[in-house]
Each structure stands twice: as structure tokens, then as C-alpha cells.
Amino acid sequence: MLDQASQARRSPQGPSALRQRLSRWDVKYAPYLFIAPFFVVFAVIGLYPLLYTGYLSFFSWPRFGAEHGDAVGWANYSHVLSDPVFRKAIVNTIGIFLLSSVPQVIVATVIAALLDTNLRGRSWWRMSVLLPYVVAPAAAALIWGAIFADNSGLANEILRVVGIDPIGWHSDRFASWTAIATMVNWRWTGYNTLIILAAMQAVPRDIYESASIDGANRVRQFWNITLPSIRPTMVFVIVTSTMGGLQIFTEPRLFDTNLQHQGGANYQFQTLTMYVFNTANSATDPYPRAAAAAWLLFLLIVGIALLNFLVTRAVQRRSLR
Amino acid sequence: MSKISKSWRRTPRTALAACAVASLVTGLTACGGGGGDDEQSALGKDDTLTITTFSEFGYDELIKEWNADPERPFKVKQTKISEWDTWKQTLTTSLQAGTGLTDVVAIEGDAMPQFLAEGASDQFADITDPELDDRWVEYKYKAGQTTDGVQIGYPTDAGPEAICYRADLFKKAGLPSEPAEAAKLFTDWDTYFASGEKFAKKVPKTKWYDSSGSIAQAMLNQVKYPFQTEDQKVDVDNEELKAVYDTVAKYTPTLSTRAVQWKEDWQAAFTNDGFATMPCPGWMFANIKSSAPDVKGWAIADVFPGGGGNWGGSFLAVPAQSKHQEEAKQLANYLTDADSEVTAFEATGNFPANIEAQETLAAENKEDPYFGNAKTAEILANRAKAVEPDLPFKGDKYSDILGLLQTAIQRVDEGADPEKSWETFTQAVGRL
């Protein structure tokens, strides 16, 4: 600023006045320009479809029509809300979410803590945890689908050897949730581990040193130093895995590839995103009903993510005190 | 969590957005939903016309010949999708999007009514051709027509059903294994199930039929109004449909493999002596041969429980979004003429809907060594005669409700209470 001011004093005529104004604009608006691309892209491929979906959910739309029909008010919402399959899908989604996200975050934290120690071949171990994440989810679902096959699957073969009756991985509701949650955990634990590990490594080492001089053991250090220090990252991991978990699609979709009834014959493992997808293929008003279901899913995710955020923060606050 | 799942879910939205951008840039407002007034363009000799079929239509040889012939005005490229259900989904979404389909598309017979319904039929080109009026069996020809008489689809094959069975397993169970003798076990459904119970006692490791779903479908094809009344009103609470359902549910524990049709366990049952009999429309032959190439003992009985039954049989249609409708019509015409349908039958067993092709096959009267030298063309011709035309009546929701019924039956296969599963079924139909 000082520099500019002195320059302006030296030559108060036109061009430098413009330059001055330009440089003021530069300081003021350039940052907004720098971040603008994201918001432009988001507005076009995120916000607009989101709003259009909401708009669409209040209309009818013939199955093969090119345009939407008459406005129908809240009929699409009441249709979705009164659908027993939709309610089942909510329970399925939350069930699979709890079976995946909760153990996933806990296990990821523990593994990260282990990786944070002075292991031999540290980089190798760290790379290895990310390996499942590299596998395409569709390929992973196929592999796990073979493992959890009802008649010839590896999982049931092992149970048979141990002397336990084979489990109907596709027909039993809880078993199907477990199988799907296993696929999700296998894939995403390593990813979360690395994020948490990065946060752990940012914790100043001298705190640990003074703690061990004070006689705190490893476990104590983990609870009283590591966890409180990585609080923002934990909140991030928990919130993102909540959002992802509630949108789960690929794994359950490929768990049973029968297109006539995605998500099991009795809708045992049909999730909300699958419900949206299926509704878009149904006979009457496919798109508006799917749009209504998508908005309900959106609200549910926002609600749970918010709740999650508040609870995590409250718990962490108390542990800090 | 899963990044892929997010992007999948967004595809339609992204398409809408891209559409919005395109309309901003070009000032066009029409997005998706191509009508019939799109600009048509002519194809040159080296240009390619595209066609999509599902399962096995037996067109490989025909298309190869077409492409080798320098006289033909354009080249043809076929895409084969293995399962109808997959193709149905792509077909439906692409029709709604107004883009993405090939110039000729194959449509399964049970799903044809929904595409003929008002609003949907606009998505297809009118391929009416008075010269073709007497080419196909009348009821198949009519089944590709809207109520106003606009031809949307050319019939490819019909699905008259016989019973295929394993002669070797019949011998093991002490049942008559020669086709003429075995046929007596299949005269009506009661005899069929009773023979099954006899068989099951002798050979407990093998089930009587391939899947509950296929038996249900076979019985259903003999019901006049299974799902909808003539004025398209949905009515699944009728006694005839319930009777089919109850019968199938009753025999599930003893006679059925409980496998889901077209899935791995079902496929495996062909080779590991999983079952002994199955309803067998012509197009099923190719399936049996490819699923069990090394199994000796498959035979065909010229009979079907309760008289006749037609299972499936497809159509070729031209979507309105095609830029080459004239040429597409020409290709569909070629693929469904007498010579082509005979060639397709010889390749796969798809029984022609073309009358002249049926006559040619009857005159040839060839034997099929795989099925113990059975005269397959003659058997299917006999079976076709036994089929009552217009049975069953297929409304615009036929294919959707059939899917839900098959799901209900699968629930019973998986051990659900039949009554509860029926309740879920009627509820789901009510919400279609």
C-alpha cells in the first residue's frame, strides 16, 4: 500500500490513477475470481439440478413423455412417504450405515494410531492400507459377491468347515446388511485411516515427550493427547462418512443384480439411493416420484449430518474439559 | 462414501445440466424427448446402421452375409445384450432421454404392450407396410400394433412351449423316458405335479423343474386376464391368478430348485442334475445347449400341460429418435422375412412368427441330434397350433406386474410365508 501511495504522489495523472484503481480491485475482487470456478461449476451441475429436481417433484410426468405434465402439489411426496418400501429403505440405509461407518471410523483411528508409531517399513504399511481403495468399487462388489454367494460362497464354505449352518447372505435381512457393510468397510477404512494419520502426525511430538516424562503410558497418551488434538479431522471424517454412508448404492446394487427387484426379493437391502433409482423406472410418474424421494433423502442426510456434527462436537468438548 | 455411487446418481442431473447449458448457448429449448420430426439423413454404402438385440436372436450369420454383399446399400452392426431386463432398462431410459438408442431395437413380447400404450408409441417410428400384412401369424402381427392400427414392431419369433426333460434321469427314476411315453406324464398340470412327486421320491437329489418362476410363467400364459381387464384396469385379486400362485407356492419345497431364473444357481442346475424338466419354448433350446453342452440325455416331448402356451417371442422396432428410419425399416423387414427367420431358427431354435418360414421348416423336418434326434420344427409347429391366440391378455402394465409376481414367488422360494408375500405383491401392484 505504502509503495502504491508514494508512486501515486509522484505522478498523479490519468494512467496511474487507473492503475491504482485496478490494483485496488485486484486486492478486493481477485480472491473471489480465484474461487469462482468451483461455484460456477457447482451452480451448473450441482445447484441447478438440485433445484430443478425440487421443482419437478410437484408435477406429473408420463412414463415415456418428453415433457412434464400437470402440477400435482404434494402428491408425489405423500406417495413416497406412504410407500412401505420407502420406509423399509430408510431402515436398511440406516442399518447398513451404522454397521459400516461406526466400526470403520473406530478401526481407522486405531490403525492410524498404530501407524503413527515407529514401525519398520512405515511407508510400506501406510501404502498397504490404501490398497483396497484403489480397487474399483464395481470390481470389489463382484469379488465380495462371490465370497457371499449363498450356495457356493467362500464365507459359507468356511462356516460349514467350522460346523455352523450356512447363512442366507441375500435372503436374511441382517446378514445382507452385514455383507454389504463388510464390503464398504474393506474399501473405506484405509482411506479414513490415512486422513486421520495425517492429522495425528501434525500433533507436536514434544507434548508426547513431556507426557511420557510425566509417566503417561501409550493408551493414556492416545486418549488424552491424540484424540483431543485431532478433533476437527475426526469431525470431518465422521461427517463425510455419514454423507457417503447414507448415499450407498454401488455395493448393494451389485450385491443382487436382478433388475426386477433391486435390493433383494423382500427389499431386505434396498437403500434409499436404490429406491430413487428404481422409482425412476417405475410405471407411473417415474421422474417426479424419484425427484420427491431424492429430496427426502437430501433432507435426511442434512439432518443426520447436522446431528452427527453436534453430537461429535459436544462429546469432544466434554473430553477436552 | 462410494464416489462411484455419487456420480451414478448424478448422471441424470448432469444430463439435465448439460442440457441447460446447451440451451443457454444455442438458444434451443428442446431438451431430450426427440420427436419424429428430427432430420433424417441418408446412409452411404460404407455407413453403418445399428441394431441392438438381447439374449440370442441368431442374426450373426445374416448380418455377416448382409455386410459381405456389395449390393447392400449400407453396413450393419449388431450389439448383443445378454439379458432382457438389462436391455429393458437402457431402452426405457434412452426413450425418455430421446437419445442414445440404435436404429433398430429388439423388444421382448411381454413388454410390447407398454410401448404400444398411448404416449409411448409416439417414441417409435410408424413402420406400417401393407405388403407385409400376411407375412406373420395374425395374433403376433397384431401384438406389434397400436389400437389405431399403427405398426410399431415386426414379429421375430413366437414362443410355443413344449416340455424339455432329462431322459437319463427319468430312467434312473423308473419313469418312461421315450418322448411319446414321457409325454403322458405332462398332459395336464395335475399329472405333471403328481409325476414330479413320484420322481422326487425316487431321485431325491434332483428337483422336478428348473424354477418356480418358469412354471408360474407357463401357467400364467394360459390365464385369460391374469393382471388387467380388457379396459386396462389393474386387477390382480382374481381367483385364476391366485390359483397359479398358490399352486406354485405349494410345490416350492418339494419340486422346485428354488433358483432364480437366469442367475448362476439356475445356470449351474443344468449341468449338475439340478432338475429333470422345464417348460421349453423354442428360444430356450439355445439356452439349454449353451448351459449344458456336455450333458447327454436332454429330450423334448411334444406336449404341454393343459394344451398350449406361448412364452415370449420378440419384435423389432425403430425408435423415433433414429436418424435413419427408412433404412432401419428396411433392415427390420429383411431380418423378419421368411429366409431370415428360418436361418435364425437353425441357429438358435427361435420359432418363426413368419408363416412362410414355419411352412419351410415343416417341409424340411430336420432332426436335432442334441435332443435325441427330435424333430424340433415339427414339435414346435404342433405346439404353436395348440396355442390359443390372444391368451393371455397383456395390458400396458403386464411386464411390470409380471416382474413383481416373479419377485413374490422368489420370496416364497427364499422361505417367506406365501400369504404375506402375496400381500406385499398386491400392495406393490397397487402402487405402480
Side-chain angles (χ1 to χ4, degrees), chain B residues 189-226:
Chain B
W189 287 110
D190 289 340
T191 324
Y192 178 76
F193 290 123
S195 315
E197 287 186 316
K198 237 184 263 166
F199 177 90
K201 271 187 206 121
K202 291 275 174 56
V203 191
K205 275 201 174 148
T206 303
K207 296 296 181 184
W208 182 238
Y209 48 79
D210 67 305
S211 75
S212 308
S214 71
I215 292 299
Q217 183 122 17
M219 297 181 79
L220 210 61
N221 283 332
Q222 296 172 338
V223 174
K224 179 75 188 146
Y225 295 109

Side-chain angles (χ1 to χ4, degrees), chain A residues 63-64 79 188 244 261, chain B residues 1 89 96 123 410-411 431:
Chain A
R63 189 172 195 179
F64 297 102
H79 176 92
W188 289 91
H261 56 79
Chain B
M1 236 163 274
Q89 205 159 40
Q96 283 162 334
Q123 306 286 333
Q410 193 189 331
R411 283 195 289 269
R431 305 191 57 85

